[in-house]
Each structure stands twice: as C-alpha cells, then as structure tokens.
C-alpha cells in the first residue's frame, strides 16, 4: 500500500491506473492520480481542528475558509460521515478520527480509496454504517481497496479478494463461494484461531479494586463534565475482566486513571493491598502493572529508536534493564533477543527501528516486553488491533497462559468476539458509567453491541430480558 501511495519506491513491477502505467515519487503524485489512503495509524495533527486537518496541504483546492467548510459539509452529508469541522482532533475518539481521514481523501478528489484496517476501532453497528458508506462510494464509481484481518467483514463487503502472505500473493477468492475457514487457511496456512477460553481460573483473591472512581474533564467549549462517574469493580487473580463500550465512553480515561496518567477526582484504586490512587506511574509499574496501550505509536513505542531501546520503555528501573541505578544496555539487548525469539517478532535484528516493523510485530514486541516483568495486573487496551490472525492467536495464547498462572487482566477491546471469548466477566461502559454486566458464556456480539449504544442496562441475559437496575 505504501508503494501504491507513493511512500515507497518499488524495485520492480508496474502500476497501471485507467489503462495507463503510473510511477509515483511521492504521495502527492498518487493523490494527483486520484489515490487516497486512510492509514491504520491516523495521520492527523492533534492540535488542529477537523477543518484545518482536511485543508492542510490542499489549500489550493477550496481555500481555507467558507468555501472549504461548505465542501466538507457537502462530503460529510453525502456519505453520512457526521464530521464537525470545528472540533479539535485531540478531543475526538478513534472512530471519529477515522471518518475525518476518509473525508480528507474524498476532499482531495480521490477515486481510488485504500482503507487499512478501517473497522478495527468500530462496534458492529458502526461497521454496518461504514459498509453503507463504502457501498455508496462504489455506486458512484469509486474503487475501494479494503485491507482487513476480519475475514467475515471481507466476505461481506468485497467483490474480489486477494490474499497476501509474507509479502507474496498466495491466492484469490470469490466472496460468494468462499468461507472464512478457507480464507484463514490461505492467510496463515492453518485453521482460524479462536479467542475462546474454556476453563475458569478465577480465584477469590482481589488484585485490582476500583471503588467509586470519579474523573472530570473540561471539553473544548470550556464545560466541565464527568468522564468517569462512580466506577467500581474488582478483578481477582486469574480473572479477565472485559469492558465493552463504544470509543469515547470513558474507557481510555479509566485506563489512564489506573496507570497514573490522570489523577482521579475521587475514589480509591487498590493494587493487591496497596492504595495507588495518587501514586506516580513509575511506582505503579514497579508495583506490577503491565500495559498494552490502545495506540502503540503514541503510548507504546519510540518509532525511531532500535528494538532494544524500546524493550526498556516503561521498565527503566527494573532488571534486566538496569543494575545499581544505571541502565544495563548489554542485558537489555540480550533480553530483547529472547523476546524476539519467544514472541516470534519478525525482524532482521534488534538494532532496526520499531518503525520498520509491521503493526503486528510491533504489538508482539510490546506484549513480550510487558509480560517479561511477571505483572500482577495486565491492562490490555485493544491488544490485537490491526494484527494478523497468526499474531492474534499468539497474543491470545500469552494472555491465557498468564491468566492460568494467576495474572489479573483488564481487557478493553472493540473486537466483541475477542471480548466475549477471552473474558471471565463482562461489563458495559456507557457515558463514563458501568451500566450493565453480561455473561460471556451466553451473550452474543449483537446483544453486547446493543448494550454499548445505551439501549440496555442491568444484567444482560441471552433471552433479551435486558431489564434490571441501572448499575
């Protein structure tokens, strides 16, 4: 995709657009030929508004004022993108950012859209809305290249399927006659992995206790609102607590409060037996919290640093990274080699930068790093977002193995099959509150998706009796 978007030059081969051979030296060349790309990791400036992001680099098209705003509104309405031009990108959830990215390429007149893992951050209802958008684009003569590891979605939305494995086209498939099982076998050379966890390992020993947690934040209009309201739960040793919720309902703030990145306005957070409500992040790390962040590029890696330096991140004061208060680079290098080996991080070596790895291999490096310190509690925010089915299976296995050994896990994911499959306990978060709980053994993704949009509260039963008190 980088080659098709002019970010990288091919060694050989040809690209033909509308019957004409094309050579791209930069993304500007690709854009000029009507190619637009929405990257898996968004390319937006956080401190600018939506309008500023959309016109950035395309000022000559419609200027930067009323004409540009009118065009943005036209595109937003035409494809049901619901984009607010004056919102600051920093304040948007991941799903909204994705819509801004799609609008940005349409604004530049793209006729071929490359979407890299576009549904990784969406709940089923939002996926359906996106698919409706894609059908509209297609009906207007646009071409969409849809890259995804979610095979059911590929079969649902694609007209043609090409499968690439380790940089080579291994086959093509017709979505009308192909099953997910056949696609998975083409992709990984084996059966599709399942996140399902069969045996329970939950103990009665509490590892993380969150009691009446409250957090307020000031929104862009200067209004103070509660982003976390009276949140209480307990995770025991050997238990995976899954939290379901549409992006932007307080999950990110909950993780940041537990990690010490935000100081709560009220409530108590207890790790093991220690009150860590206002402890610095490093103390929490040393106390046994492992963290797989929602956005690996912003919070998990130094992209331009080598892998062994990335191995040290977040664990600077702990062995093998330091000895006697000084960094031990040699030991960190040796341990990085071990992580690369044990977690199957595909890389030419530990001196290459994190940026040179694929998303899945970056994620395996982070999981390896966090698991290497025998955490008591693992906070896993979207642990398999944007990774292929092979890497997904490995990450699930690591979480299951550690859970058997007594690890407590807080799992936040937009992949409802993953949430239902891995969790021992499921809670639903809506507008900063835990509004419902569900039994992972009986709940369906559709029922869970419905609760996430605020349509149900209380204890969710499989027979749709979703009554019950607001929790």
């Amino acid at each position: 995709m980088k080659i098709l978007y002019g970010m990288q030059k091919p060694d050989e081969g040809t690209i033909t657009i509308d019957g004409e051979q094309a050579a791209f030296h930069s993304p500007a060349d690709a854009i000029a030929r009507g190619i637009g790309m929405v990257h898996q990791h968004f390319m937006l400036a956080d401190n600018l508004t939506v309008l500023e992001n959309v016109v950035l680099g395309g000022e000559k098209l419609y200027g930067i004022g009323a004409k540009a705003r009118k065009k943005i509104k036209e595109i937003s309405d035409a494809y049901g993108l619901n984009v607010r031009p004056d919102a600051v990108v920093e304040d948007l959830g991941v799903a909204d950012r994705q819509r801004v990215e799609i609008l940005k390429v349409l604004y530049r007149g793209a006729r071929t859209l490359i979407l890299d893992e576009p549904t990784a951050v969406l709940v089923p209802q939002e996926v359906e809305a996106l698919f409706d958008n894609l059908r509209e684009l297609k009906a207007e003569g646009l071409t969409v290249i849809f890259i995804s590891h979610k095979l059911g979605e590929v079969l649902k939305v694609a007209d043609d399927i090409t499968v690439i494995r380790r940089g080579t086209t291994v086959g093509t498939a017709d979505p009308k006659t192909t099953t997910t099982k056949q696609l998975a076998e083409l992709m990984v050379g084996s059966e599709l992995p399942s996140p399902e966890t069969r045996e329970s390992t939950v103990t009665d020993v509490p590892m993380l206790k969150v009691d009446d947690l409250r957090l307020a934040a000031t929104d862009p209009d200067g209004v103070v609102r509660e982003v976390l309201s009276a949140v209480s739960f307990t995770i025991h040793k050997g238990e995976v607590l899954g939290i379901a919720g549409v992006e932007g309902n307080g999950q990110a703030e909950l993780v940041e409060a537990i990690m010490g990145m935000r100081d709560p306005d009220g409530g108590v957070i207890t790790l093991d037996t220690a009150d860590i409500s206002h402890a610095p992040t490093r103390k929490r790390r040393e106390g046994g919290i492992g963290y797989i962040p929602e956005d690996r590029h912003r919070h998990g890696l130094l992209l331009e640093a080598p892998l062994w330096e990335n191995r040290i991140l977040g664990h600077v004061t702990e062995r093998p990274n330091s000895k006697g208060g000084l960094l031990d680079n040699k030991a960190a290098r040796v341990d990085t080699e071990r992580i690369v080996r044990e977690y199957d991080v595909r890389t030419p070596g530990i001196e290459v930068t994190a940026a040179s790895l694929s998303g899945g291999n970056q994620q395996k490096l982070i999981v390896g790093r966090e698991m290497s310190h025998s955490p008591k509690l693992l906070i896993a925010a979207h642990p398999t977002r944007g990774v292929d089915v092979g890497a997904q299976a490995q990450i699930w296995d690591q979480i299951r193995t550690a859970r058997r050994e007594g690890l407590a896990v807080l799992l936040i994911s937009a992949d409802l099959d993953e949430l239902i499959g891995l969790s021992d306990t499921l809670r639903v978060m809506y507008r900063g509150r835990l509004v419902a709980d569900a039994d992972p053994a009986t709940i369906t993704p559709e029922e869970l998706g419905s609760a996430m949009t605020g349509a149900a509260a209380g204890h969710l039963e499989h027979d749709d009796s979703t009554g019950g008190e607001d929790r």
Side-chain angles (χ1 to χ4, degrees):
M1 294 307 110
K2 284 180 177 176
I3 290 170
L4 193 50
Y5 194 54
M7 294 167 73
Q8 209 165 308
K9 282 188 183 170
D11 294 327
E12 53 186 74
T14 57
I15 296 169
T16 309
I17 296 175
D18 290 333
E20 267 181 48
Q21 205 163 306
F24 304 138
H25 302 287
S26 70
D29 292 347
I31 292 166
R33 294 300 298 268
I35 292 175
M37 180 161 174
V38 177
H39 297 261
Q40 183 182 327
H41 293 281
F42 303 144
M43 304 289 184
L44 297 170
D46 279 0
N47 58 331
L48 300 182
T49 64
V50 168
L51 185 142
E52 288 164 344
N53 266 284
V54 172
V55 302
L56 189 63
E59 294 86 351
K60 289 180 181 172
L61 295 172
Y62 305 97
I64 58 171
K67 201 173 167 192
R69 181 183 293 274
K70 185 168 175 254
K71 186 68 182 171
I72 288 170
K73 186 147 179 30
E74 269 173 29
I75 297 169
S76 178
D77 292 347
Y79 300 109
L81 296 171
N82 299 321
V83 166
R84 294 171 292 144
D86 295 314
V88 177
V89 164
E90 196 172 19
D91 301 321
L92 298 182
V94 191
D96 284 330
R97 289 176 192 225
Q98 185 197 64
R99 293 186 188 101
V100 175
E101 285 279 21
I102 291 174
L103 191 138
K104 199 168 83 175
V105 296
L106 293 173
Y107 183 86
R108 281 158 175 70
R111 304 297 300 163
T112 299
L113 251 69
I114 305 166
L115 301 180
D116 190 2
E117 293 287 343
T119 64
V121 294
L122 306 178
V123 299
Q125 288 83 346
E126 291 176 315
V127 170
E128 280 308 318
L130 173 69
F131 285 176
D132 288 342
N133 291 341
L134 296 186
R135 289 182 192 108
E136 283 176 38
L137 294 170
K138 193 178 85 172
E140 296 197 11
L142 274 74
T143 300
V144 179
I145 299 175
F146 179 88
I147 303 163
S148 180
H149 300 120
K150 296 187 177 178
L151 308 187
E153 292 178 359
V154 172
L155 290 172
K156 196 169 186 181
V157 79
D159 297 300
D160 294 291
I161 298 170
T162 297
V163 180
I164 297 175
R165 184 163 80 233
R166 295 197 178 188
T168 303
T169 298
V170 291
T172 57
D174 180 348
K176 292 184 190 72
T177 57
T178 309
T179 65
T180 51
K181 190 168 179 287
Q182 290 166 327
L183 259 193
E185 283 167 7
L186 266 178
M187 272 178 74
V188 289
S190 59
E191 274 196 55
L192 188 62
S194 157
E196 206 169 310
T197 304
R198 283 174 184 82
E199 80 295 353
S200 173
T201 58
V202 183
T203 67
D204 54 5
V205 182
M207 183 48 73
L208 179 75
K209 200 161 189 284
V210 172
D211 192 26
D212 199 29
L213 192 66
R214 295 171 186 277
L215 179 70
T218 307
D219 69 17
D221 304 320
V223 179
V224 177
R225 60 186 177 84
E226 260 196 334
V227 286
L228 294 176
S229 181
V231 172
S232 299
F233 60 84
T234 301
I235 310 178
H236 301 85
K237 288 180 80 167
E239 178 181 19
V240 176
L241 170 69
I243 293 194
V246 177
E247 300 267 340
N249 275 277
Q251 306 93 307
E253 289 82 0
L254 174 64
V255 167
E256 288 173 5
I258 296 170
M259 282 303 299
M261 295 152 76
R262 286 179 185 240
D263 198 36
D265 297 308
V268 180
I269 304 169
T270 311
L271 178 67
D272 215 347
T273 54
D275 181 347
I276 60 164
S277 310
H278 304 286
T281 298
R282 179 184 285 183
K283 271 274 175 282
R284 301 180 195 217
R285 288 294 224 160
E286 292 168 348
I289 298 184
Y291 178 39
I292 302 170
E294 172 182 346
D295 187 331
R296 51 182 168 258
H297 286 187
R298 290 170 87 193
H299 297 139
L301 297 166
L302 290 172
L303 290 173
E304 299 310 317
L307 302 192
W308 67 269
E309 282 186 22
N310 276 283
R311 189 265 166 268
I312 295 172
L313 291 185
H315 302 279
V316 177
T317 58
E318 299 163 64
R319 283 178 174 270
N321 301 327
S322 66
K323 194 175 176 183
L326 296 171
L327 283 179
D328 187 343
N329 292 351
K330 189 180 173 195
R333 277 187 166 94
V334 170
D335 200 57
T336 308
E337 298 275 14
R338 175 193 63 79
I339 290 172
V340 164
R341 215 171 35 248
E342 288 182 12
Y343 289 80
D344 188 29
V345 181
R346 294 188 187 159
T347 171
I350 62 165
E351 297 296 336
V352 304
T353 62
S356 67
L357 299 187
S358 70
N361 286 304
Q362 290 174 350
Q363 194 74 347
K364 286 191 278 187
L365 180 72
I366 291 171
V367 173
R369 174 181 75 201
E370 297 307 314
M371 292 300 206
S372 295
H373 292 275
S374 307
K376 297 174 179 176
L377 169 74
L378 177 68
I379 298 175
H382 308 278
T384 61
R385 174 179 284 169
V387 307
D388 64 72
V389 284
Q392 202 175 40
Q394 284 174 298
I395 291 168
W396 288 338
D397 281 344
Q398 297 293 347
I399 291 174
R400 278 190 286 245
T401 303
R403 167 183 168 271
R404 270 199 300 275
E405 290 164 10
L407 177 70
V409 181
L410 175 64
L411 174 67
I412 290 166
S413 179
D415 182 335
L416 302 191
D417 290 321
E418 175 175 81
L419 263 183
I420 292 167
L422 281 182
S423 299
D424 297 293
T425 316
L426 258 180
R427 308 288 295 271
V428 177
M429 199 164 203
Y430 181 66
R431 294 187 177 170
R433 289 175 175 273
L434 292 176
V435 296
D437 58 7
D439 181 354
T442 57
I443 194 88
T444 67
E446 288 69 29
E447 289 161 343
L448 194 54
S450 163
M452 287 161 67
T453 56
H459 186 79
L460 305 178
E461 296 291 351
H462 180 51
D463 63 4
D464 289 335
S465 59
T466 51
E469 287 178 34
D470 217 356
R471 297 173 77 86

